[in-house]
Amino acid sequence: MPENRLLHGICASAGAALLAAAILLTGSGTAQAALPTPIAASTARTYLSGMTATAETHASTYDRDLFPTWITISGTCDTREYVIKRDGSNVVTDSSCKATSGGWTSPYDGVTTTDPSTFDIDHLVPLSEAWDSGAWAWTTAQRQAFANDTTRPQLLAVSAHSNRSKGDDDPAEWLPQASYQCTYARAYVQVKHYYGLTVDSAEKSALSSVLSGC
């Protein structure tokens, strides 16, 4: 999509994210898992069918520092702290927004914990995957907005083990446990569609296979 249209959408979504964060973080101190609901499987299939399989490019120039994380969402609360609070149950935070108690379940592998330091915040569409799929042409501000997007279903608290296992893989190379694959594929397609990112042939095939069973 044209750069000015993308940047306009990102600016609008950033305002919405800040408002949502302010509401959540000034609430009762508890929260439950709440990944923004992905589009329906039928919508995801439609979006995916409209994506022409395109070979990835610019992989050799990827640098994670080109996607600044984490940014302040509200007060002293950064993106990680926001997602940790959002994705846990009975979460209590201290004055610096650090979670001091609560429970978390990783949807990727079913691992549970009461220690949020053992969980990572995963980008469903990996940053390097985004780079290879078109983000190489974005500005740093656009990449920062993508890397900290709490409005789309792009960020999720998961076990460190599952996050390291996934790495920078796309759905042709890695998928979460079977019970979460439909949600994952729907979210993945939604994010790629919103940001105008491409898919390669293997990736498109893998996503089509998952979505056909949703």
Side-chain angles (χ1 to χ4, degrees), residues 2-214:
E3 182 174 304
N4 61 345
R5 179 182 170 193
L6 174 60
L7 187 55
H8 175 76
I10 287 173
C11 290
S13 66
L18 289 173
L19 177 60
I23 293 171
L24 178 62
L25 293 168
T26 56
S28 63
T30 62
Q32 62 185 87
L35 177 74
T37 303
I39 54 176
S42 58
T43 304
R45 287 192 289 268
T46 298
Y47 285 174
L48 185 62
S49 67
M51 297 179 183
T52 302
T54 306
E56 295 177 350
T57 62
H58 294 77
S60 64
T61 59
Y62 169 70
D63 185 335
R64 197 181 194 284
D65 290 341
L66 294 168
F67 293 81
T69 58
W70 301 114
I71 63 171
T72 300
I73 296 295
S74 177
T76 59
C77 307
D78 67 19
T79 315
R80 174 184 164 82
E81 291 160 341
Y82 171 84
V83 177
I84 284 292
K85 183 176 178 67
R86 183 199 70 187
D87 289 1
S89 59
N90 301 314
V91 178
V92 176
T93 59
D94 62 20
S95 59
S96 66
C97 290
K98 181 179 180 181
T100 57
S101 64
W104 292 264
T105 299
S106 169
Y108 285 176
D109 55 6
V111 169
T112 62
T113 189
T114 56
D115 179 4
S117 70
T118 66
F119 269 35
D120 292 343
I121 305 304
D122 180 56
H123 294 90
L124 273 79
V125 175
L127 301 182
S128 65
E129 170 66 27
W131 176 267
D132 299 347
S133 304
W136 58 268
W138 296 353
T139 64
T140 299
Q142 289 170 329
R143 289 190 289 267
Q144 175 176 287
F146 175 83
N148 297 275
D149 188 353
T150 57
T151 302
R152 259 62 52 185
Q154 162 68 346
L155 297 171
L156 186 63
V158 300
S159 69
H161 174 75
S162 64
N163 190 41
R164 312 297 162 75
S165 174
K166 175 189 175 187
D168 296 329
D169 291 347
D170 69 25
E173 303 158 322
W174 184 92
L175 286 169
Q177 60 181 341
S179 62
Y180 200 68
Q181 288 180 11
C182 278
T183 300
Y184 186 81
R186 288 159 50 209
Y188 191 98
V189 170
Q190 178 178 349
V191 171
K192 280 224 161 179
H193 178 268
Y194 178 82
Y195 283 98
L197 297 170
T198 61
V199 292
D200 63 36
S201 58
E203 180 184 5
K204 184 173 184 177
S205 178
L207 288 165
S208 295
S209 178
V210 173
L211 291 171
S212 68
C214 296

